[in-house]
Amino acid sequence: MRLRTIQVIKLTISTIASTCAVPLYAQIEAKDSLKETKLEEVVVEATSQTTSATVSTYYPTSKQKNASQNGIELLNRMAVPQLAHGSGTSVNTVAGQSVALFIDWLPASSDDMRNMRMADVRRVEYYDYPSDPRFLGNTHVVNFVMKKYAYGGYLKASAYERFIANDGQINIFGKFQIKNLTFDLGLGGFYGKYSHSFTESVDTYRLPQEDGTESIFRRTESVTSADRHQQLFWPTFKAVYNNGNITISNTIGASFDHTPLEGMTGKVSFYPDVSAASEFVRDGKSYENSLSYSGNWNFILGKGNIINFNPAYSYTHSRQSSLYKEVGEELPNNARDDSHVARARLQFTHSFGKAGSLNMFCQGIFYRSSTTYSGTADMSDRLTTYRIGPGVSYGLSVGKCYFYVGTGLQYIRSKYARIVERSTEPWADASFQYSPNSKNRISVEFHHMNPIPLSSYRSEAIIRVNPLLSYTGNPGLKPYKTYDYGITYSYMPANRFNVSAYLYGYTACDRFAFVYTPSSTGILQTIGQPAGGFTSLTAGAYSRARLIQDKLQLSGQIAVPFCHNGYPFNTDKAHVNYTFQVFWYFGAWNMGIQYFSEWGAAGDAVNGIWTKREKYTVRI
């Protein structure tokens, strides 16, 4: 199965782009002021980057902050060597692992990234497997350290309109602080109308025959026209109390995501010609409304003892409908879903000083979903899952080395229809980091866990997506073993240059995977377990240079992914990916160009997808 996103040339020229931040602060803490000393005929260049066994620290330049409208843009322009190029709302390491975002040691959402005031960013910290309890056990972390104020606040408004891409966004945000209390209020909206962005798919089917051979053919959907309309609206409110020893943060948010039109037309062809070519029409729409709450309560008890509690809850209501037409046949599919998710994590930390720190925690999840299908399938799904797990971790710094280990259990109880599944699964983390000086750092990591099957994979509903293909789930799926492992080396000899090299791997054993079998209507995609082994390896390097008195910034990445996907796909794939980014600063203006090569990447362990895409962007 091969997906290819068609974007021949995507010009992201912000024709109307504005950011207005009105500071209202009345008093700045004294520790943010620096004593000035006048020097004659002496040029001093401050260090803009440094690393140690536990943390890498970066100081953004005024040009980088002035040219960025949000935290993600700032990271991209800073070109942090451990982080990959990106332009969305998430951040990944150069090896593709997810990175948790924090602002002043509090979890930060995509709204927080949009609304933060760039001028207030003092430094950016990057951690691998931090032992600090405020980072909630996340394995890779970016923490923005901001200026501290005693009173006041600011208002920030930003908007952009891309006439060629035909989408736009507006954000209004206010932050107000009174002594130990901080209040954030945000409001955002987005719209998009696209007729030039679509996905063209090539599906390869391998059907086992009675004589032991396989019948192989490809089905291609070639898109000739597409149209998609989307509107998104989100309000948020956040209140934080911090007196130094107690930090209590509570966030309430909502999201209203409506896509009233999503359609495309095109042609269907086969190779070899197992069926005659035909034309297809696909129309659809979807709506998703959600409410959420998240909290972060941190209590410093003294004598090296800390308690951290993190409650969270979300409710989501969604509706989806689609109609597929081909060779005179119409296939309607509708789904309505209501889901509740509640999470909580309680952690106790004790610091032994030079002997390291010990974290003991317990985390739980409650998930319930109710889905109703109509159209090609008429039925209801009900799934309830409880998960609770204790864990312990220990971090120790010894000279220029940092050691981290963690282990724990997860007890899972899932009920789907009348089927009840119970299991207890272990997990383990290990990391070693070595920094001989402030310019070099090596990080080695290992992680083991048993993923829990998604609720949609357990559904027994048989849904027809086109005249040839139908799909269903498997209510008897069980967790399987996975292993993550990697090594990263970062070299930062000077402010104007840095480079990282890495090797990262992922292996899945006893996994479940999509299986295709003949059916009365064509081909049925089911989910079988156990399937053959899955291993993904990626080796690569990333480098950045700042030239001409920081007016020109160059950065690039090369990555070579390899994927072995065993039964039932039996494929081996490799590719060479590379990206290049240029930013040029002239006065109050700046211009950036990003080039992404044809990018090849493997899907997850469940599917046989190998994705290729192209992307070019220009930003002024």
Side-chain angles (χ1 to χ4, degrees):
M1 186 180 295
R2 179 175 178 263
L3 298 179
R4 179 182 176 91
T5 302
I6 305 297
Q7 287 183 296
V8 179
I9 297 179
K10 183 180 179 183
L11 291 177
T12 314
I13 302 179
S14 300
T15 309
I16 300 178
S18 63
T19 300
C20 178
V22 183
L24 305 175
Y25 293 105
Q27 179 181 347
I28 302 176
E29 291 187 355
K31 61 183 178 182
D32 283 330
S33 63
L34 299 176
K35 183 178 180 180
E36 296 183 359
T37 301
K38 187 175 181 179
L39 300 176
E40 296 182 1
E41 298 181 357
V42 175
V43 177
V44 178
E45 182 179 33
T47 300
S48 66
Q49 56 189 19
T50 184
T51 191
S52 68
T54 56
V55 60
S56 296
T57 305
Y58 304 91
Y59 299 90
T61 66
S62 58
K63 292 179 180 179
Q64 292 167 343
K65 290 190 286 187
N66 292 337
S68 304
Q69 296 189 37
N70 55 64
I72 304 297
E73 276 195 16
L74 180 61
L75 291 176
N76 203 26
R77 291 179 183 268
M78 290 175 65
V80 174
Q82 292 94 342
L83 304 180
H85 286 152
S87 57
T89 59
S90 62
V91 178
N92 296 314
T93 68
V94 288
Q97 302 151 291
S98 62
V99 176
L101 300 175
F102 286 73
I103 298 177
D104 286 332
W105 297 273
L106 287 174
S109 66
S110 57
D111 289 330
D112 295 325
M113 289 293 102
R114 280 190 291 263
N115 297 328
M116 64 192 299
R117 187 168 180 254
M118 295 297 102
D120 288 347
V121 179
R122 298 181 62 184
R123 65 181 185 271
V124 175
E125 300 172 336
Y126 174 81
Y127 297 84
D128 288 316
Y129 289 86
S131 61
D132 191 322
R134 294 174 294 183
F135 292 136
L136 310 179
N138 288 287
T139 56
H140 304 284
V141 170
V142 165
N143 180 44
F144 292 84
V145 179
M146 314 294 287
K147 287 182 179 179
K148 303 296 189 297
Y149 297 91
Y151 296 94
Y154 66 86
L155 297 174
K156 177 180 178 181
S158 63
Y160 75 75
E161 171 68 32
R162 303 188 303 178
F163 288 104
I164 296 179
N166 201 19
D167 61 23
Q169 180 173 310
I170 184 170
N171 287 284
I172 302 174
F173 175 77
K175 177 183 286 288
F176 308 95
Q177 185 161 345
I178 305 174
K179 293 186 177 180
N180 297 329
L181 287 172
T182 304
F183 300 98
D184 295 352
L185 182 62
L187 191 63
F190 169 86
Y191 90 93
K193 293 184 178 181
Y194 309 108
S195 59
H196 56 275
S197 180
F198 52 85
T199 298
E200 185 175 89
S201 66
V202 180
D203 302 336
T204 301
Y205 298 94
R206 296 178 173 86
L207 299 180
Q209 305 298 302
E210 294 182 356
D211 59 1
T213 62
E214 287 185 329
S215 175
I216 302 176
F217 64 92
R218 292 198 303 268
R219 179 181 183 274
T220 301
E221 288 187 2
S222 301
V223 179
T224 56
S225 64
D227 198 9
R228 184 174 188 268
H229 297 179
Q230 182 184 11
Q231 298 95 39
L232 179 60
F233 173 73
W234 62 91
T236 61
F237 173 75
K238 183 177 184 179
V240 180
Y241 172 79
N242 186 349
N243 70 358
N245 292 326
I246 298 176
T247 302
I248 298 177
S249 172
N250 295 290
T251 303
I252 298 174
S255 175
F256 307 94
D257 188 355
H258 295 177
T259 304
L261 174 62
E262 186 170 19
M264 62 179 66
T265 61
K267 297 181 179 180
V268 177
S269 60
F270 296 88
Y271 181 82
D273 296 330
V274 297
S275 180
S278 60
E279 296 183 349
F280 78 91
V281 176
R282 179 181 286 113
D283 293 314
K285 58 183 178 180
S286 63
Y287 303 88
E288 181 176 286
N289 302 323
S290 64
L291 298 172
S292 64
Y293 160 79
S294 63
N296 189 300
W297 307 351
N298 191 72
F299 305 91
I300 301 176
L301 306 179
K303 297 182 179 180
N305 298 314
I306 300 174
I307 290 180
N308 192 282
F309 179 59
N310 304 95
Y313 169 79
S314 66
Y315 165 74
T316 301
H317 171 76
S318 62
R319 289 177 293 156
Q320 298 179 359
S321 63
S322 67
L323 178 62
Y324 184 90
K325 300 178 183 179
E326 184 184 341
V327 292
E329 188 171 8
E330 296 187 358
L331 301 175
N333 284 296
N334 307 293
R336 175 176 177 148
D337 179 81
D338 291 279
S339 63
H340 303 263
V341 182
R343 303 172 182 265
R345 176 188 173 98
L346 179 63
Q347 178 170 288
F348 171 76
T349 301
H350 178 72
S351 174
F352 298 97
K354 293 183 179 180
S357 61
L358 176 69
N359 296 321
M360 295 179 291
F361 52 90
C362 186
Q363 50 194 359
I365 297 176
F366 168 77
Y367 173 81
R368 173 175 288 173
S369 68
S370 175
T371 308
T372 302
Y373 300 97
S374 62
T376 61
D378 292 287
M379 65 174 297
S380 296
D381 281 344
R382 300 291 185 274
L383 177 70
T384 302
T385 298
Y386 302 89
R387 187 187 314 174
I388 187 169
V392 60
S393 65
Y394 184 77
L396 173 65
S397 294
V398 180
K400 299 177 180 180
C401 300
Y402 172 70
F403 302 87
Y404 177 92
V405 292
T407 187
L409 297 172
Q410 287 191 92
Y411 169 76
I412 305 104
R413 181 186 185 275
S414 295
K415 182 178 180 181
Y416 172 80
R418 296 182 299 274
I419 300 175
V420 177
E421 292 282 348
R422 296 182 178 88
S423 63
T424 301
E425 308 295 338
W427 63 267
D429 285 333
S431 177
F432 168 73
Q433 297 162 43
Y434 173 64
S435 179
N437 51 52
S438 62
K439 299 179 180 180
N440 294 269
R441 184 171 184 262
I442 296 176
S443 177
V444 181
E445 63 181 275
F446 171 83
H447 175 65
H448 163 64
M449 70 173 296
N450 295 353
I452 311 302
L454 297 175
S455 60
S456 59
Y457 289 162
R458 295 184 183 274
S459 174
E460 293 180 298
I462 299 177
I463 298 174
R464 295 186 67 192
V465 294
N466 60 56
L468 177 66
L469 179 65
S470 303
Y471 67 84
T472 187
N474 181 350
L477 295 179
K478 300 180 182 300
Y480 58 90
K481 298 179 177 62
T482 65
Y483 304 89
D484 299 79
Y485 40 90
I487 180 171
T488 302
Y489 168 68
S490 298
Y491 177 53
M492 299 180 291
N495 289 344
R496 292 177 174 81
F497 177 77
N498 60 46
V499 63
S500 285
Y502 62 92
L503 175 66
Y504 175 75
Y506 171 81
T507 297
C509 305
D510 301 323
R511 60 169 178 151
F512 48 82
F514 294 145
V515 178
Y516 299 85
T517 59
S519 70
S520 59
T521 57
I523 295 173
L524 178 64
Q525 173 192 284
T526 61
I527 305 178
Q529 190 181 32
F534 178 91
T535 295
S536 175
L537 292 171
T538 303
Y542 176 97
S543 182
R544 182 197 70 174
R546 287 169 20 201
L547 309 172
I548 317 176
Q549 297 178 337
D550 292 344
K551 293 181 180 179
L552 176 64
Q553 179 177 293
L554 309 175
S555 58
Q557 178 182 359
I558 184 169
V560 182
F562 166 80
C563 179
H564 167 72
N565 201 335
Y567 177 82
F569 305 108
N570 300 318
T571 61
D572 293 300
K573 293 281 190 178
H575 197 72
V576 177
N577 303 324
Y578 53 93
T579 67
F580 188 68
Q581 176 177 270
V582 179
F583 287 113
W584 178 261
Y585 301 91
F586 44 100
W589 294 83
N590 68 91
M591 182 174 67
I593 298 176
Q594 289 178 306
Y595 171 75
F596 291 74
S597 71
E598 185 180 63
W599 197 264
D604 59 35
V606 181
N607 59 52
I609 291 177
W610 180 263
T611 302
K612 287 188 177 181
R613 60 180 171 82
E614 294 179 353
K615 185 176 181 181
Y616 309 79
T617 66
V618 177
R619 180 158 189 156
I620 299 177

